[in-house]
Each structure stands twice: as structure tokens, then as C-alpha cells.
Amino acid sequence: MAQVFPRSANVLVRAGIASSVLLVSVLTLVAAGMYQSPLVNSMKIAKAQPIPFSHQRHVGGNGMDCRYCHTSVDSSNFAGVPPTETCMTCHSQILTDAPMLQPVHESWKNGTPIEWTRIYDLPDFVYFDHSVHIAKGVGCTTCHGAIDQMRLTHKATNLYMGWCLQCHRAPEKFLRPQDKVFDVEWKAPRNQIEEGLRLVKENNVNVGQLTNCSICHR
Amino acid sequence: MKTNTMNAAEFTSQGHWRTLAACAACMLALMGCHPDMWNQPRFAALQKSGFFTDGRASRDPVPGTIQYDGQRRPWKSAVFEGISGGQLTVPSIMDDTFYTGRQGEGFKADNYFPVSAELLARGRERYDVTCTPCHGFAGDGFGVVTRRGFPNPPSFHIDRLREVEDGYLFDVMTNGFGRMYSYAARVTPEDRWAIAAYIRALQFSQYAPLDTVPADVKEAILNPQPVVENPADSSAAHH
């Protein structure tokens, strides 16, 4: 009986196996690349806003505190997007004729809210509370990046669970003293781990509990 | 034997399709194609809604709503709980003085809280956050926005403002004054009292009677020593 497969079939099978392995690795790499890509996590992409509000001007330039506008950040889960009244507190006097501020004046006149485009959006199955992070010494820039240098606001971190866990597993690497939480120029000191461990103890951070699923998925 | 055999081309192509299908499934899973869990049918703060004509999901209280006095909100900061003698909630809405700064016909002369280091520290923090853009860190009315064209507010270090009641300062923060908007929606009443206390401390810092100064500091003020600009020069002068 003649052989079913010709000799050349060996080459085909080997090539098939090799190319399958290659394909799997390539696809894995592509998937990993996409996972880190701004196309998927929209990191570092400034989005258009009704008013080209610049944190660089207000925070970096004017040295305003985060809490002037985000008033509920230290007392509630939501930091708060300022109402038009907050803008108008200064802009009833400053840059009153600037075309870029027209939406603010219209909103003030008509009582219609300004529709800002959301930058940081956690999935609805994640429980997050700003106030507890502030109270325990997580600084604004730890998650929001160099906000004082952003002309248009972008997402500075990918907000993946792995990213959250970096701090939930080892908060001592990130915690700051209470008076530095809103300091946009804060840099970790040389003895950060030592300082961080002190803050973990001082602020009663129960590190073991921070990686419980139900801490964030409740 | 015949039944188990297949064409080589058929074998490889089927293998590829399975791999491809598995990879596609993995990638879709990685990309998180579960918008139903990601965006659940509920509203977050300040979210948009097509249900109401004004497009807002957050609703205002119905006009004419009167705050119910039974369940008062707790202090947002533990500072006030301590200062007010372990009281767990803010004063009753019936306590006009706490919410308006007024007492009888006029304003409350002194602070609502007993003035303590904690109250001043809280007041300083909130003053620095809220008031400095216009009033400046020293309270002289030269805050950063005045350099951008905002008219200077009056300095706190003038006789008129040294003589006003604490309740008056509270009232200005609550209702605004001239070009200054109301801060009632942004700063809680207890924080406004703390800020009033800190403004008093600021005023005192620029207008302290000499008799209140400790003896050694008083001596230094009355007999000021010439300022030595460069220590190297002074050591050279000794030789």
C-alpha cells in the first residue's frame, strides 16, 4: 500500500506547528501591547472640553489648592466638579470678554450646566472613595499625575486593577505626610519606605485587609 | 486507518482556525467586552440623564423644602467634635447663630467655638485653600488673582475690619460682599467659624500690643540690633 502522506507533508506539519506557536506568541504580544495602549485605556490622551480649562494655569501658575474647586474631595467619595458659580467667583471680574469663556458666562446666565468630558472613569463594579485615600495620606498626584503641568487634562494612570494593587499591597511606597497630600510638587524622599511604614502605622492602615476582594468590589 | 486520515492541508488549516479562535476569544476577554457591568444602569454624581428636561441626573430639593431637624449631619472633621465638647453632630438648624453669625439684633461678637490651637489650625488650612487667591496669605488683599486683574479686596489689617464682630466675618463668607461671592455652598459653617478665628489671628499677627509680647522679644523689638548682612564681614570686623 502506498504511503498516505508524501514526504513533503513532514515539512508542512512542522511549518504548521511552528507557525501556530509563532502566531500564538505574536497574538499574545499584540494583546499585551493593546492592554498597555492608550487606544484601550485612554491614558495620556487629552480630551476636548467645552472650555479649554488649564490646570497648568490655575494650579501650576496661580498656585491654587485642589480643594478650592474640588471641595468634597476630603469629605466624600466624589471629589466634585465645580459648579459654574466657582468659575464665576473669579471670572465675573477676570477675562470677562474672552471668547473661550463664553460657555461659562452662558451657563451662568441661563442656569444650564457645563458638560465637561469625564477623564477618570472607574468601572461601576469598583467601589472608590476619595476621602479615605486623602485621610490615609495618598496624594492627588499619585493617581492624577503632574496635574499642575497639564494644559488639557488627561488620564495619567491606566487605572487597571494591577495598578491599584501596587499601592494596596505596599502602601508604604506611596503614602505622604498629611500636609503634603495636596502638594503637587511633592517628591518621595530618600527614606520613603521608612517614612511610609511610619505613616501606615500612624494612619492605622490595615495593609492585609487592602487586598481583600470586597474592599473594592462590594 | 482510512477513516482517521486527513489531508495535510486540511489538518494545518483546522489547527490554525482553532488557535485563531482561541486567541480572538482571549483578546476580546482582555479588552473587557462587558459594558453591561462596566456601566450599570444607575446614575453617578453629576451624571447626564435624558429622563429630566434639564438633562441632569442629580436633582435639587423641591422648592420650599425645609431641612428636617431630626437627623443632623455629623461633623465632617473630627476637629469640631473635640472643640464642641464631644458633640457628635453639627448644631440644630434652629441654632441661628451657628448658621448666620447673627445674635439678637447684631452679629455674634466672638467665635461660635471656644478658640483653641486646633480650631486655628483648621481655620488656617481652610483659609489657605479658600481665601488666599484674593486675600493673600497675609490677609493684605494682594492674593494671586489680584495680579490677574481682580480688584484688591480690603486688607484685614484696617481699623474697620479689626473692629467688626466674628459674626460679621462669618456673615460675609456666608452671603458674599461686593464682588465676593457667597462661600456658603463651598465651605461648611463650622469651617467658616474656624476661618473667622484664623482671620483674627492674622490680624493680631500684624497688630499685637507691645505689652502682650514676651519680655525677651520685647527687648529685641525696642532695641533692635543692626542686621548683619554677611557673617563673614562681621568676623572680619572683629579682627
Side-chain angles (χ1 to χ4, degrees):
Chain A
M1 185 180 145
Q3 285 192 331
V4 178
F5 293 107
R7 187 161 279 276
S8 65
N10 285 348
V11 180
L12 265 179
V13 169
R14 283 199 193 104
I17 291 169
S19 59
S20 298
V21 168
L22 196 70
L23 192 74
V24 169
S25 356
V26 167
L27 282 175
T28 310
L29 280 175
V30 168
M34 285 186 76
Y35 190 68
Q36 295 297 335
S37 155
L39 289 172
V40 172
N41 60 35
S42 57
M43 218 174 122
K44 304 216 163 123
I45 296 178
K47 291 185 186 165
Q49 301 285 359
I51 299 130
F53 177 85
S54 167
H55 276 96
Q56 186 194 44
R57 158 60 65 203
H58 290 82
V59 182
N62 292 348
M64 289 172 70
D65 192 283
C66 311
R67 290 165 288 182
Y68 186 89
C69 300
H70 304 289
T71 50
S72 56
V73 71
D74 55 359
S75 59
S76 126
N77 64 337
F78 184 51
V81 176
T84 307
E85 186 189 20
T86 303
C87 310
M88 286 299 288
T89 302
C90 293
H91 289 291
S92 61
Q93 305 291 327
I94 303 174
L95 291 176
T96 47
D97 299 327
M100 67 173 170
L101 287 181
Q102 278 319 297
V104 176
H105 295 292
E106 267 159 42
S107 160
W108 186 240
K109 210 169 63 195
N110 306 333
T112 48
I114 300 170
E115 282 184 43
W116 298 100
T117 305
R118 197 171 181 127
I119 304 290
Y120 277 73
D121 193 10
L122 279 173
D124 283 351
F125 48 79
V126 179
Y127 172 88
F128 177 81
D129 189 310
H130 270 100
S131 65
V132 73
H133 288 84
I134 301 286
K136 300 294 177 186
V138 182
C140 305
T141 55
T142 301
C143 308
H144 294 284
I147 192 83
D148 58 321
Q149 290 160 30
M150 293 183 199
R151 286 205 180 89
L152 275 177
T153 312
H154 64 249
K155 212 164 108 172
T157 41
N158 60 25
L159 300 185
Y160 288 150
M161 183 169 143
W163 172 82
C164 299
L165 283 171
Q166 283 174 24
C167 187
H168 272 223
R169 286 193 179 117
E172 67 273 10
K173 290 183 190 163
F174 303 95
L175 294 192
R176 326 175 175 184
Q178 205 45 240
D179 60 335
K180 301 289 181 206
V181 168
F182 297 93
D183 183 350
V184 287
E185 278 159 13
W186 183 84
K187 299 261 185 315
R190 275 161 189 271
N191 62 343
Q192 171 60 31
I193 301 297
E194 192 187 317
E195 275 292 293
L197 285 170
R198 188 181 61 76
L199 288 165
V200 163
K201 211 172 155 193
E202 196 178 290
N203 297 341
N204 296 320
V205 181
N206 186 344
V207 181
Q209 166 188 288
L210 289 183
T211 45
N212 278 0
C213 306
S214 58
I215 278 286
C216 310
H217 304 290
R218 43 174 91 175
Chain B
M1 184 74 187
K2 187 75 179 165
T3 49
N4 286 340
T5 57
M6 63 170 92
N7 185 301
E10 250 175 48
F11 174 82
T12 45
S13 70
Q14 254 188 31
H16 275 309
W17 281 119
R18 272 198 208 118
T19 318
L20 268 176
C23 285
C26 284
M27 278 175 70
L28 284 174
L30 276 172
M31 286 163 71
C33 57
H34 299 286
D36 49 336
M37 290 299 284
W38 217 274
N39 295 311
Q40 293 164 20
R42 58 180 164 83
F43 290 115
L46 305 189
Q47 207 170 322
K48 197 175 172 176
S49 158
F51 187 76
F52 298 101
T53 46
D54 64 0
R56 296 185 300 147
S58 305
R59 310 312 303 161
D60 294 330
V62 178
T65 303
I66 295 168
Q67 189 171 341
Y68 172 56
D69 194 37
Q71 187 70 50
R72 281 172 266 140
R73 65 176 171 84
W75 298 109
K76 288 285 189 186
S77 167
V79 174
F80 301 102
E81 221 181 283
I83 295 165
S84 60
Q87 200 185 327
L88 291 172
T89 55
V90 297
S92 158
I93 195 74
M94 310 301 280
D95 187 342
D96 276 346
T97 307
F98 178 71
Y99 290 93
T100 64
R102 290 177 178 274
Q103 197 170 43
E105 293 294 296
F107 293 108
K108 188 168 180 3
D110 53 352
N111 206 283
Y112 183 87
F113 297 103
V115 177
S116 61
E118 293 79 33
L119 184 74
L120 288 177
R122 176 77 182 179
R124 179 183 192 161
E125 183 196 272
R126 295 293 134 169
Y127 177 91
D128 287 357
V129 169
T130 318
C131 315
T132 50
C134 295
H135 291 282
F137 284 92
D140 53 9
F142 283 91
V144 68
V145 299
T146 64
R147 280 187 259 141
R148 310 246 181 262
F150 201 100
N152 291 86
S155 164
F156 291 131
H157 312 296
I158 58 172
D159 286 341
R160 179 177 76 82
L161 291 179
R162 282 193 201 107
E163 282 153 20
V164 294
E165 304 88 343
D166 282 18
Y168 172 84
L169 298 175
F170 182 93
D171 177 72
V172 171
M173 290 180 243
T174 310
N175 299 313
F177 186 91
R179 292 184 181 88
M180 174 177 162
Y181 277 24
S182 159
Y183 278 81
R186 288 174 258 182
V187 186
T188 58
E190 56 271 28
D191 278 335
R192 275 174 260 152
W193 281 114
I195 291 172
Y198 181 65
I199 292 174
R200 289 299 183 212
L202 269 182
Q203 289 177 331
F204 188 72
S205 76
Q206 307 289 312
Y207 201 66
L210 192 58
D211 292 342
T212 59
V213 174
D216 52 333
V217 183
K218 191 173 171 179
E219 180 59 29
I221 293 169
L222 290 176
N223 302 307
Q225 298 299 310
V227 177
V228 180
E229 298 250 325
N230 189 340
D233 290 350
S234 77
S235 64
H238 280 294
H239 285 294

Short mmCIF file of all heavy atoms in Angstrom, two decimals, chain A residues 48-51 81 84 103 107 112-118, chain B residues 46 48 54-55:
data_model
loop_
_atom_site.label_atom_id
_atom_site.label_comp_id
_atom_site.label_asym_id
_atom_site.label_seq_id
_atom_site.Cartn_x
_atom_site.Cartn_y
_atom_site.Cartn_z
N ALA A 48 -11.15 66.75 24.40
CA ALA A 48 -11.70 68.08 24.17
C ALA A 48 -12.73 68.40 25.26
O ALA A 48 -13.46 67.52 25.71
CB ALA A 48 -12.36 68.14 22.81
N GLN A 49 -12.75 69.64 25.70
CA GLN A 49 -13.69 70.09 26.72
C GLN A 49 -14.42 71.31 26.18
O GLN A 49 -13.91 71.99 25.30
CB GLN A 49 -12.92 70.48 28.00
CG GLN A 49 -12.10 69.37 28.61
CD GLN A 49 -12.93 68.32 29.34
OE1 GLN A 49 -14.15 68.43 29.40
NE2 GLN A 49 -12.27 67.29 29.85
N PRO A 50 -15.62 71.59 26.72
CA PRO A 50 -16.37 72.76 26.23
C PRO A 50 -15.57 74.06 26.43
O PRO A 50 -15.73 75.00 25.65
CB PRO A 50 -17.64 72.75 27.08
CG PRO A 50 -17.42 71.76 28.16
CD PRO A 50 -16.39 70.81 27.69
N ILE A 51 -14.75 74.09 27.50
CA ILE A 51 -13.86 75.22 27.73
C ILE A 51 -12.46 74.62 27.88
O ILE A 51 -12.32 73.65 28.63
CB ILE A 51 -14.24 75.98 29.02
CG1 ILE A 51 -15.66 76.53 28.91
CG2 ILE A 51 -13.25 77.10 29.33
CD1 ILE A 51 -16.51 76.21 30.09
N VAL A 81 -16.95 68.12 40.74
CA VAL A 81 -16.61 69.01 39.63
C VAL A 81 -17.24 70.35 39.98
O VAL A 81 -18.43 70.39 40.32
CB VAL A 81 -17.16 68.46 38.30
CG1 VAL A 81 -16.88 69.43 37.17
CG2 VAL A 81 -16.54 67.11 38.00
N THR A 84 -20.64 76.16 38.00
CA THR A 84 -20.31 77.40 37.28
C THR A 84 -20.04 78.55 38.24
O THR A 84 -19.20 79.41 37.98
CB THR A 84 -21.45 77.76 36.32
OG1 THR A 84 -21.72 76.61 35.50
CG2 THR A 84 -21.11 78.94 35.44
N PRO A 103 -18.86 79.90 27.13
CA PRO A 103 -19.74 78.87 27.68
C PRO A 103 -19.98 79.04 29.18
O PRO A 103 -21.06 78.72 29.68
CB PRO A 103 -18.99 77.56 27.40
CG PRO A 103 -18.12 77.87 26.24
CD PRO A 103 -17.72 79.32 26.39
N SER A 107 -23.62 79.63 30.69
CA SER A 107 -24.12 78.71 31.71
C SER A 107 -24.62 79.49 32.93
O SER A 107 -25.66 79.18 33.50
CB SER A 107 -22.99 77.75 32.12
OG SER A 107 -23.26 77.17 33.36
N THR A 112 -27.81 76.67 32.86
CA THR A 112 -27.61 75.33 32.32
C THR A 112 -26.19 74.85 32.66
O THR A 112 -25.25 75.63 32.57
CB THR A 112 -27.75 75.32 30.78
OG1 THR A 112 -26.96 76.40 30.27
CG2 THR A 112 -29.18 75.50 30.36
N PRO A 113 -26.06 73.59 33.10
CA PRO A 113 -24.73 73.13 33.50
C PRO A 113 -23.77 73.04 32.32
O PRO A 113 -24.18 72.83 31.18
CB PRO A 113 -24.99 71.74 34.08
CG PRO A 113 -26.43 71.45 33.93
CD PRO A 113 -27.08 72.57 33.20
N ILE A 114 -22.49 73.20 32.61
CA ILE A 114 -21.45 72.98 31.60
C ILE A 114 -21.22 71.47 31.52
O ILE A 114 -21.08 70.81 32.55
CB ILE A 114 -20.14 73.68 32.01
CG1 ILE A 114 -20.38 75.18 32.15
CG2 ILE A 114 -19.03 73.40 31.00
CD1 ILE A 114 -19.22 75.93 32.79
N GLU A 115 -21.19 70.94 30.31
CA GLU A 115 -21.00 69.49 30.16
C GLU A 115 -19.53 69.15 29.96
O GLU A 115 -19.04 69.12 28.83
CB GLU A 115 -21.81 68.96 28.97
CG GLU A 115 -23.28 68.81 29.28
CD GLU A 115 -24.05 68.21 28.11
OE1 GLU A 115 -23.55 67.25 27.49
OE2 GLU A 115 -25.13 68.73 27.81
N TRP A 116 -18.83 68.91 31.06
CA TRP A 116 -17.42 68.53 30.98
C TRP A 116 -17.31 67.08 30.53
O TRP A 116 -18.20 66.27 30.79
CB TRP A 116 -16.75 68.69 32.35
CG TRP A 116 -16.75 70.10 32.84
CD1 TRP A 116 -17.61 70.65 33.75
CD2 TRP A 116 -15.87 71.17 32.43
NE1 TRP A 116 -17.30 71.97 33.95
CE2 TRP A 116 -16.25 72.32 33.16
CE3 TRP A 116 -14.79 71.26 31.54
CZ2 TRP A 116 -15.60 73.54 33.02
CZ3 TRP A 116 -14.15 72.47 31.41
CH2 TRP A 116 -14.55 73.60 32.13
N THR A 117 -16.21 66.78 29.86
CA THR A 117 -15.96 65.40 29.44
C THR A 117 -15.17 64.69 30.53
O THR A 117 -14.14 65.18 30.96
CB THR A 117 -15.15 65.38 28.14
OG1 THR A 117 -15.85 66.17 27.18
CG2 THR A 117 -14.97 63.98 27.61
N ARG A 118 -15.71 63.58 30.96
CA ARG A 118 -15.09 62.86 32.06
C ARG A 118 -13.75 62.24 31.62
O ARG A 118 -13.66 61.66 30.55
CB ARG A 118 -16.03 61.77 32.55
CG ARG A 118 -15.62 61.30 33.89
CD ARG A 118 -16.60 60.38 34.55
NE ARG A 118 -15.99 60.07 35.82
CZ ARG A 118 -16.56 60.21 36.99
NH1 ARG A 118 -17.79 60.58 37.05
NH2 ARG A 118 -15.91 59.95 38.10
N LEU B 46 -23.56 63.96 39.40
CA LEU B 46 -23.43 64.92 38.29
C LEU B 46 -23.53 64.31 36.90
O LEU B 46 -23.20 64.95 35.91
CB LEU B 46 -22.11 65.71 38.38
CG LEU B 46 -21.82 66.45 39.68
CD1 LEU B 46 -20.60 67.34 39.51
CD2 LEU B 46 -23.00 67.31 40.09
N LYS B 48 -25.14 62.80 33.38
CA LYS B 48 -26.17 63.28 32.47
C LYS B 48 -27.34 62.28 32.44
O LYS B 48 -27.13 61.08 32.60
CB LYS B 48 -25.55 63.36 31.07
CG LYS B 48 -26.31 64.21 30.09
CD LYS B 48 -25.51 64.30 28.80
CE LYS B 48 -26.34 64.97 27.74
NZ LYS B 48 -25.58 65.15 26.51
N ASP B 54 -33.96 69.05 32.15
CA ASP B 54 -32.72 69.82 32.25
C ASP B 54 -31.49 68.95 32.02
O ASP B 54 -30.37 69.45 32.07
CB ASP B 54 -32.64 70.57 33.58
CG ASP B 54 -32.57 69.63 34.78
OD1 ASP B 54 -32.59 68.40 34.56
OD2 ASP B 54 -32.49 70.11 35.91
N GLY B 55 -31.69 67.65 31.78
CA GLY B 55 -30.58 66.78 31.41
C GLY B 55 -29.69 66.35 32.56
O GLY B 55 -28.66 65.73 32.35
#
